[in-house]
Amino acid sequence: MATTDRQASTLALAHALSAAERGLAVIPLSRTKLPALRSPHRPASSPTPTSPSAPAPVSAPAPSLCHGECGRFGHGVYDASTDPRRIRELFAAAPWATGYGIACGVHPHHLIGVDLDTKSGTDSSAALRELALRHLFTIPETVVVLTPSGGRHLWLTGPPDVAVPNSASRLAPGIDIRGAGGYLVGPGSRTDHGAYTAAPGTSHLPPAPCPPALLRLLLPPPRTGLSRTTGGQGNGHGLVHFVLTAQEGQRNTRLFWAACRAYENGLGPELTNALIDAAVRTGLPEREARSTIASAARMSRGGG
């Protein structure tokens, strides 16, 4: 491992331990912002790293009902801990880690992350201000983390009995939410695109409570007959139609949005083929369509 990577890993561990002292549960992350430890339940045919210093690319954990009950590392956000000894063990098992993730939705802070993205070409900060004016809430002073791409992560806390779901651009274009089962990239982490840093004057602040009006917007609407047995009808049919009516220049964006909504409603796997077929009919290459849906699936599960 290069000296710079060893330094980045040492710094990441130090920042992770500091976050744990504040009651934030953490896991090691690779330079890709994904969990640094691979799932122990991945298919036996999956390639393994040729050496600890050059691990194979880490992908999303293989589907499994195990959330760490097996006693091994590699369960993504379910490995997160505030125990310094366990954190050191996690980083020792992933010496290539250059960052750390902070689990959302867990005791004691029940963290909610508001990710104001810039890559979508929209002004997500203006969109959040518009929502605040429309729904009469104010974003309190809280921890703000600056991302390498120019975005911002706002840290808020939620009530212990409410599970805020992860979402991508559901609240407004360019605004992603990290809730239960998701994580935020912690300040001090280094990725392929640069470093995450705390905004000046906010690192000493505790995460502020989420305004009730905003919290209501973050919770999923009541279910209205939508179920896994619909076979892609109802809302699923509307999502497919939304993709089918995309014009050139909108196809990838519409497909990504529709796939995110499908996964949020528990219909992602069922609608995948229909969404791909619809995208291909608009002229989007099948390979690109599959890649877009895979990105939406990862985004809907969380990750900052």
Side-chain angles (χ1 to χ4, degrees):
M1 183 184 299
T3 300
T4 54
D5 283 345
R6 285 199 299 269
Q7 292 172 342
S9 182
T10 300
L11 285 173
L13 173 58
H15 284 294
L17 290 170
S18 178
E21 290 180 355
R22 300 175 64 182
L24 300 167
V26 298
I27 56 171
L29 299 182
S30 70
R31 284 188 174 275
T32 63
K33 300 188 297 185
L34 291 173
L37 292 169
R38 303 182 68 193
S39 170
H41 308 294
R42 64 187 184 275
S45 59
S46 295
T48 55
T50 56
S51 72
S53 61
V58 180
S59 58
S64 171
L65 296 178
C66 180
H67 290 162
E69 295 85 355
C70 67
R72 292 176 288 177
F73 294 153
H75 298 84
V77 73
Y78 298 104
D79 286 343
S81 177
T82 58
D83 181 355
R85 184 175 67 176
R86 180 174 173 85
I87 294 168
R88 291 182 185 278
E89 291 174 349
L90 285 165
F91 274 82
W96 50 85
T98 60
Y100 65 104
I102 298 173
C104 295
V106 299
H107 179 80
H109 298 290
H110 304 280
L111 199 65
I112 301 168
V114 180
D115 182 353
L116 302 178
D117 199 0
T118 59
K119 296 188 292 293
S120 60
T122 59
D123 190 339
S124 53
S125 294
L128 182 61
R129 289 194 296 270
E130 182 181 338
L131 282 170
L133 288 171
R134 188 188 313 159
H135 296 277
L136 303 177
F137 65 84
T138 300
I139 296 295
E141 286 192 3
T142 191
V143 179
V144 178
V145 175
L146 307 179
T147 74
S149 63
R152 294 185 298 149
H153 293 170
L154 312 182
W155 292 13
L156 301 172
T157 63
D161 56 345
V162 173
V164 172
N166 296 287
S167 64
S169 294
R170 183 178 69 83
L171 195 64
I175 301 179
D176 300 336
I177 301 300
R178 301 288 175 260
Y183 61 88
L184 289 164
V185 180
S189 297
R190 296 202 68 85
T191 71
D192 286 334
H193 301 289
Y196 284 70
T197 60
T202 71
S203 60
H204 69 285
L205 298 173
C210 182
L214 175 58
L215 183 63
R216 286 193 293 271
L217 294 176
L218 301 183
L219 297 177
R223 306 286 282 215
T224 55
L226 179 65
S227 72
R228 291 183 176 272
T229 60
T230 58
Q233 300 302 312
N235 283 0
H237 178 77
L239 293 174
V240 173
H241 179 74
F242 182 71
V243 174
L244 277 171
T245 55
Q247 303 295 317
E248 187 172 358
Q250 302 176 332
R251 296 174 299 196
N252 206 307
T253 300
R254 284 199 173 207
L255 177 61
F256 181 79
W257 187 93
C260 286
R261 303 294 81 74
Y263 275 95
E264 288 169 15
N265 285 291
L267 290 172
E270 296 176 25
L271 282 183
T272 292
N273 289 335
L275 290 173
I276 290 173
D277 290 344
V280 169
R281 288 175 62 182
T282 66
L284 198 67
E286 181 178 345
R287 182 175 180 179
E288 185 175 347
R290 290 187 181 278
S291 177
T292 296
I293 291 180
S295 296
R298 289 194 299 271
M299 184 69 72
S300 297
R301 284 195 294 264

